Amino acid sequence: MTRRTFGRIAGLTLATALATVGSAAFAEGEKIAVITPYLSQPGTQFYVEAFQARAKELGWEVNVIDTAGDVAAVISRMEDVSAQGVNAIVLNVDPAQVGAGLDAAVAANIPVFGMDAGTDPRIKANITSNGYAMAAETSVYVANRIGGAGNVVMFVFDAFPPVQVRGAVADAVFKNHPDITVLDRVTPDVSDGGIADSRAKMEAILAANPEPGSIKAVWAAWDQPALGALQAIEAAGRQGEGIVITGIDANPQARDAIAAGGNFEASVAQDFQGIGATTADTVARVLGGETLRTNVIYVPTKLITSANAKD
């Protein structure tokens, strides 16, 4: 058993243990709706699967609803499941964009939870990674690697709160280095997962900046744009320039790229299984009658480099 596997098992065991009292207080057979427009993203897939696994242990019926990139459709699906009388709703979307759906759930007295979403008074708790800390870790890594000077390309997605905060923190870190210039701040199309459009946009940036050394680093708010940028750099034959790439999530494809020792140097591993399991346990606690003390629950993360990418 690897340290990575052991850590995941330990994390799930701890989350389960912490929730035992609450989850034991109510019966099996609860109906839970999980609604997201981002199921094409690997991270979302992982924590939805972990939620389903924990829910199965609790004897729940889970309905996973994927609106395939359509955020507006989340509202109508929330209204649908509220009318159907589910016991709880779990969201993976910006709460500010689905206010009418949240109102429908509140009117039906159905508790709503965020799974790597955002905070809102109508949401009992948002279970996520600390985006501020992850972005600080990778942006500081970039700043140090390029000696605090040079042009940096950023890939961001401000429409989704957990990712928006990462860009905001990276902005602050780079602005604190007067010799670092953000050459471009790119929002890729994520409808296909984010890699293809990120590659296309990075190819255009490379073409507009053909001189060796004109781009020192690519900071990405999650792994898919980092992988797209890596593909563009390699296709352009510019991998030898030492362009530093960082991402966030440390999904399997990113880990492989980091382990290869190329331009993609670092990412931050979110405990997706831990997020999913902890979300289920938090739902169990609330349905069991517990009043939560905080509306944000952070699950620990870890910086991944070539030294530990295969752990």
Side-chain angles (χ1 to χ4, degrees):
M1 180 182 295
T2 66
R3 288 194 297 273
R4 181 182 175 195
T5 303
F6 177 81
R8 286 179 174 176
I9 293 173
L12 291 174
T13 302
L14 176 59
T16 301
L18 291 172
T20 298
V21 175
S23 62
F26 68 96
E28 296 182 353
E30 307 296 337
K31 295 182 178 180
I32 314 296
V34 177
I35 308 176
T36 176
Y38 305 123
L39 199 59
S40 65
Q41 296 294 322
T44 302
Q45 294 170 18
F46 294 148
Y47 48 62
V48 167
E49 290 169 359
F51 182 93
Q52 291 175 299
R54 179 66 180 127
K56 184 177 181 180
E57 294 175 355
L58 294 168
W60 295 347
E61 178 183 331
V62 177
N63 180 20
V64 177
I65 300 170
D66 175 22
T67 65
D70 189 344
V71 174
V74 173
I75 295 174
S76 61
R77 301 313 300 269
M78 291 181 70
E79 293 170 341
D80 290 344
V81 297
S82 295
Q84 292 163 10
V86 296
N87 298 99
I89 297 171
V90 175
L91 291 179
N92 170 238
V93 71
D94 180 1
Q97 296 179 292
V98 295
L102 289 170
D103 288 340
V106 170
N109 198 31
I110 296 170
V112 181
F113 301 81
M115 184 161 62
D116 196 25
T119 58
D120 184 280
R122 293 162 290 186
I123 289 182
K124 295 294 184 181
N126 179 41
I127 296 83
T128 186
S129 302
N130 190 331
Y132 298 96
M134 292 191 297
E137 200 159 25
T138 55
S139 55
V140 169
Y141 181 96
V142 166
N144 289 339
R145 278 286 287 114
I146 66 176
N151 292 332
V152 176
V153 175
M154 295 178 64
F155 282 88
V156 298
F157 196 76
D158 291 342
F160 188 39
V163 179
Q164 182 274 332
V165 300
R166 302 174 194 175
V169 170
D171 283 334
V173 170
F174 294 142
K175 286 177 182 177
N176 199 49
H177 291 79
D179 294 326
I180 289 179
T181 298
V182 175
L183 186 65
D184 209 337
R185 200 175 190 276
V186 181
T187 300
D189 181 354
V190 299
S191 60
D192 67 346
I195 293 180
D197 190 59
S198 297
R199 173 175 176 163
K201 286 183 166 59
M202 189 66 200
E203 286 173 344
I205 293 170
L206 290 166
N209 298 272
E211 303 84 6
S214 57
I215 299 172
K216 289 291 188 180
V218 175
W219 180 92
W222 73 108
D223 285 338
Q224 307 311 91
L227 290 164
L230 176 64
Q231 291 177 4
I233 289 167
E234 291 179 341
R238 296 181 63 175
Q239 62 268 41
E241 294 179 23
I243 301 172
V244 176
I245 302 173
T246 65
I248 290 176
D249 286 343
N251 66 43
Q253 193 174 355
R255 282 179 176 267
D256 288 343
I258 293 169
N263 298 85
F264 197 160
E265 293 191 11
S267 186
V268 177
Q270 298 193 70
D271 183 358
F272 296 117
Q273 287 79 5
I275 289 174
T278 302
T279 301
D281 286 332
T282 303
V283 173
R285 290 162 60 190
V286 172
L287 293 182
E290 182 178 339
T291 299
L292 302 176
R293 292 186 177 182
T294 179
N295 66 346
V296 181
I297 298 173
Y298 289 127
V299 176
T301 61
K302 180 181 181 181
L303 182 68
I304 300 298
T305 66
S306 60
N308 62 352
K310 290 299 185 181
D311 288 357

